[in-house]
Amino acid sequence: MKKTILLFLFLFPLYFSIAQTIKGTVVNDAEQKVSNVNIYIDGTKIGTISKEDGSFLLSLPAGSSGNIVFQKENYETLTKPASEVIGKILKVVLLKSNDIEEVSIIPYTEETYRNYINYFLDQFIGYDREHVRIKNQRTLKFSYDKKNKILKVKAPKTLIIENKNLGYEIEYNLVNFSADFESKIVNCTGSSLFKEVKNNHKIKLNRINAYDGSLLHFFRSIYNNTVAADGFIVNHVIKVPNPKYPTEEELKTLKDFMEMVRITKVITAPEHILDISQRKNNQKPYALAIIKTIIPDSDYVKRNGTEILFTFKDMLQVNYRKYEYEMEGKEVMKSKKMVVLSSFLHPEGETFEVSKDGSITTPDLLLTEGDFTKNKIENMLPLDYQLGD
C-alpha cells in the first residue's frame, strides 16, 4: 500500500516589497516550530535554514525561477515553484515521514547493495571515483526485481556528495532512482543544494569545460535564442524499425523459454533461442535516420512573450564541436584539441518550459542519449553558475 501524505502551504499577502525574498515560518502538524530545515532553490547555491523559532528569510537574485525546497530528515520534503511564493509570507507545514511505513514487496537488501552499488555509482555519479564521492554512501538502500529486471535505489538520508574537481559539496535529496535493464532506461530525480568549498584557477577551468557543450549550455542557448551562434547544430531524426531486432513473436518465444528454464532448470538452449537472445542483447529496437539537417530553432522552440517552450514530436540530434580549454599562465585559452559531441533528445511530443538559468520543467520526461547522458553528478554545475565563477 503506497503512503499518501498531504502537504500544506498557507500563503498570506505581503505588502509592497522591493526585495525579491521568500520568508515565513516552518511548523509541524502540531503547530510546533521546526528549526534547522534546509530551504533552498533546487539545483543552485541559494539556500538557508530555519531558525529556532522556525522563521526563515531567503533572498533571491532578480528574475530567479525554479523550485523552492523545504527539506529536513524524518519529514516529508515539500517543493513549490519559487515564482508562486516570492514576495509572500509563508506558513509551511511539514509532516513526519515515518508516521506510516511503506510496505515493499521487493525487499531492500545488503546483497543487492553489494551487487549493484558500482552500477549505481556509474549511472548517478560518473566514473571518477577518486575525486567525486558520496560521503554517506552506506545509507543507500537497494532492491532488485528479478522477474522484471528493475533496480530501485532509495536514500533515507540526504546524500552528501563531494566533487573535488568542480569545488562543490552537494546536498542531494534523492527522490527516485530506477533502472530498467530490459528497456535500458534509467530514471533519476531529486533536488540539490550546492555549496562552494573551493575555487581556484584549476577548478574554474574544470567548470568551464564541464559547461561547454553540456545540456545546461544547450538550454541556455535556447532561452537566449543563440543556438546556432553558440555552435550547436540540430538535426531532425526519426526512428526506423531495426529488422535485426527480434519481432514481438520472437520475444514472446524467448520469454516462454526463460519461464520454462526457471521451472524445469533446463540449461541447454536451442540454437534459435540463442539467436533471438543474442539479437535482443546486441541490437536496438530501432535505428535512427536523419531526415533534415541544421533545422532552425523555430522548429522546436515556441516563444510566447517571456515564455520559452521546447517541444518536438520526433527526435533531435544535437551536435557540438567542443574545444578543451587550457590554462596558459593565468589565462584560460581555447586549445586546438577538438571532439564532436553528439546527443539525441526524445521530447516525444511533450512540452517543456525553458527558464533563463537553463532548467526545464519536468526534466524526467525528457529522454537523452549520447554525450548529454554524461551530464552526471561529476559534471553537474549549479543552475546559477556563470562562466568565470
Side-chain angles (χ1 to χ4, degrees), residues 8-22:
F8 301 96
L9 187 65
F10 298 100
L11 307 182
F12 297 93
L14 177 65
Y15 294 104
F16 182 78
S17 174
I18 296 176
Q20 186 162 288
T21 60
I22 301 174

Side-chain angles (χ1 to χ4, degrees), residues 235-249:
N235 302 321
H236 182 179
V237 176
I238 60 172
K239 297 178 183 178
V240 179
N242 182 358
K244 294 182 180 180
Y245 191 78
T247 63
E248 290 295 327
E249 184 178 350

Side-chain angles (χ1 to χ4, degrees), residues 90-188:
L90 312 181
K91 179 182 179 183
V92 182
V93 181
L94 295 184
L95 301 184
K96 285 279 189 178
S97 61
N98 57 355
D99 289 341
I100 304 173
E101 291 295 332
E102 183 174 351
V103 177
S104 177
I105 298 175
I106 309 298
Y108 290 83
T109 65
E110 177 65 20
E111 180 184 8
T112 307
Y113 174 94
R114 292 195 303 269
N115 290 342
Y116 293 100
I117 180 61
N118 287 326
Y119 172 84
F120 168 77
L121 293 176
D122 288 346
Q123 298 299 317
F124 179 61
I125 293 290
Y127 301 101
D128 188 349
R129 307 291 168 74
E130 181 181 353
H131 300 100
V132 188
R133 67 186 183 96
I134 304 175
K135 289 185 174 181
N136 55 343
Q137 178 179 302
R138 291 296 306 184
T139 62
L140 291 164
K141 295 186 180 296
F142 286 61
S143 75
Y144 183 63
D145 182 346
K146 293 181 180 179
K147 181 179 179 181
N148 296 304
K149 298 183 179 179
I150 295 176
L151 173 70
K152 290 188 177 181
V153 182
K154 68 178 181 180
K157 294 183 178 296
T158 300
L159 299 177
I160 308 301
I161 304 171
E162 177 186 53
N163 188 336
K164 293 181 179 179
N165 287 332
L166 299 182
Y168 296 117
E169 183 174 271
I170 306 168
E171 295 181 8
Y172 196 96
N173 183 31
L174 182 65
V175 174
N176 170 67
F177 179 94
S178 63
D180 187 332
F181 293 129
E182 196 72 32
S183 65
K184 297 180 176 58
I185 292 177
V186 175
N187 186 284
C188 180

